[in-house]
Amino acid sequence: MTDPSTDPLTGPATGPVPVVIDCDPGVDDAVALLLALASPHLDVRGVTTVAGNVSLTDVNRNAAHVLDLAGAPADLPLVPGLAGPIARTRRIRDEPMHGAGGLGGLLPASPPRPLTPGHAVDWLAEQALRSPGELTLVAIGPLSNVAAVLARHPEAGPAFREIVVMGGAAFAQGNVTPAAEFNFHADPEAARYVLESGLPVRIVGLDVTRAALYPLEAAEHLASLPGTAGTAGGLLREYARRYLDRFGVPAVPVHDALAVAAVSDPELLGWEEGSASVECSGELTRGALVADLRTPDRARNVRVARTVDADGFSAHLTEGITRYAAGPDHTA
Ligand code: RIB
Ligand code: CA
């Protein structure tokens, strides 16, 4: 596995971690972006988009609105990516967990900031090659863009410090089928390509996101705060209410926010290393994450999150969103 002196989990803390975030907002993507942009432990270098929760057009619009909501620098790159999976037709998600338009109806009347010209696949490769070994790629949507970067720019993959992925369910039930989690089910070929690349990948899957539910009551508190914090709290509250209506549980998994926390606050999670792949042709198991945590003779390039400090994550999320109560400059 990784050289301890450069290991993202054990290496020396050398200031805010440079990250780029590939996303498909989605409410939990929106919360993840807000937390990342307010975190003193992260240096967000840019955001890229991929079709997933909703169409690429809607994802682009939602991501732009979220960056505006966060008060992100006007020149922060927001680069559009792939409109569907790398090897199959995109399935329209029939599960509006994220509400109307993918952000629970948060669609300000004014148009959002413009996208950055270019394509996410090329932009991500350029950023990695500009600072080899420095940049962490956080992927919280289907892995279509990430796989395309590794395939089209093979020299770029090894230039990332690591790839942190929200996806899969190693030892838990899926959320699209019993076997598969949404991001891996949406583009299984891409997920397999990334996990089998041999690059250092950390997986934050349903195994831990479902063990760290954010209470509806805490979301209701956030929704009572002023400014951007209240808006974000409102998004989370409606997301949690839809989850309560569907599953009868007054708390909700904020999947993508936990993946970002795996970089900003890695002590919240416990890891096991091994190798992994994704089923691509199973009639019942398409998109299933197959993690091999035995002591295989194969490359042990993957670490799977197996434990989580649920209370610590809830406090982390509350603290991060509350930073916006004093305005988008996070000076709360
Ligand atoms: O399974 C959870 C993942 O799918 C998250 O990234 C969420 O945004 C949904 O798209
Ligand atoms: Ca997502």
Side-chain angles (χ1 to χ4, degrees), residues 74-325:
D75 63 351
L76 182 74
L78 173 58
V79 192
L82 292 175
I86 60 171
R88 54 181 73 215
T89 305
R90 178 173 175 262
R91 290 188 183 184
I92 305 301
R93 185 166 193 175
D94 58 4
E95 168 72 58
M97 271 304 293
H98 297 271
L103 274 188
L106 169 90
L107 285 180
S110 57
R113 64 178 62 197
L115 301 176
T116 305
H119 193 284
V121 172
D122 302 321
W123 185 84
L124 287 168
E126 289 158 14
Q127 299 310 304
L129 292 168
R130 181 175 296 176
S131 49
E134 181 185 292
L135 200 57
T136 294
L137 171 52
V138 182
I140 54 177
L143 293 176
S144 314
N145 286 340
V146 179
V149 170
L150 304 188
R152 290 187 200 165
H153 304 279
E155 73 286 358
F160 286 106
R161 185 176 191 225
E162 65 166 339
I163 301 171
V164 178
V165 170
M166 190 282 133
F171 305 98
Q173 291 268 287
N175 58 1
V176 177
T177 69
E181 174 278 331
F182 176 81
N183 288 335
F184 284 14
H185 184 268
D187 196 341
E189 287 77 12
R192 166 175 274 190
Y193 194 84
V194 173
L195 296 187
E196 293 191 356
S197 66
L199 297 174
V201 176
R202 284 195 280 150
I203 298 175
V204 179
L206 300 182
D207 309 85
V208 288
T209 63
R210 280 205 183 117
L213 302 183
Y214 193 69
L216 169 58
E217 186 179 11
E220 286 169 340
H221 163 68
L222 289 180
S224 72
L225 297 178
T228 292
T231 304
L235 269 178
L236 255 178
R237 179 189 58 202
E238 296 315 305
Y239 187 52
R241 283 177 176 168
R242 284 190 291 273
Y243 201 84
L244 174 61
D245 291 346
R246 172 74 186 274
F247 299 103
V249 176
V252 66
V254 195
H255 309 282
D256 296 336
L258 189 55
V260 165
V263 185
S264 64
D265 297 78
E267 73 283 354
L268 290 172
L269 292 161
W271 307 88
E272 284 190 49
E273 70 176 33
S275 60
S277 188
V278 174
E279 175 56 59
C280 293
S281 56
E283 183 184 349
L284 299 176
T285 55
R286 162 196 161 172
L289 166 62
V290 182
D292 188 348
L293 307 183
R294 299 169 301 173
T295 51
D297 54 4
R298 296 170 57 192
R300 300 173 68 78
N301 64 301
V302 172
R303 282 188 274 209
V304 179
R306 296 296 308 277
T307 62
V308 59
D309 172 0
D311 292 340
F313 173 62
S314 283
H316 164 83
L317 197 160
T318 297
E319 188 268 338
I321 297 300
T322 302
R323 287 175 176 272
Y324 288 93

Side-chain angles (χ1 to χ4, degrees), residues 24 28-29 53 140-141 183 256:
D24 66 329
D28 61 327
D29 301 74
N53 283 312
I140 54 177
N183 288 335
D256 296 336

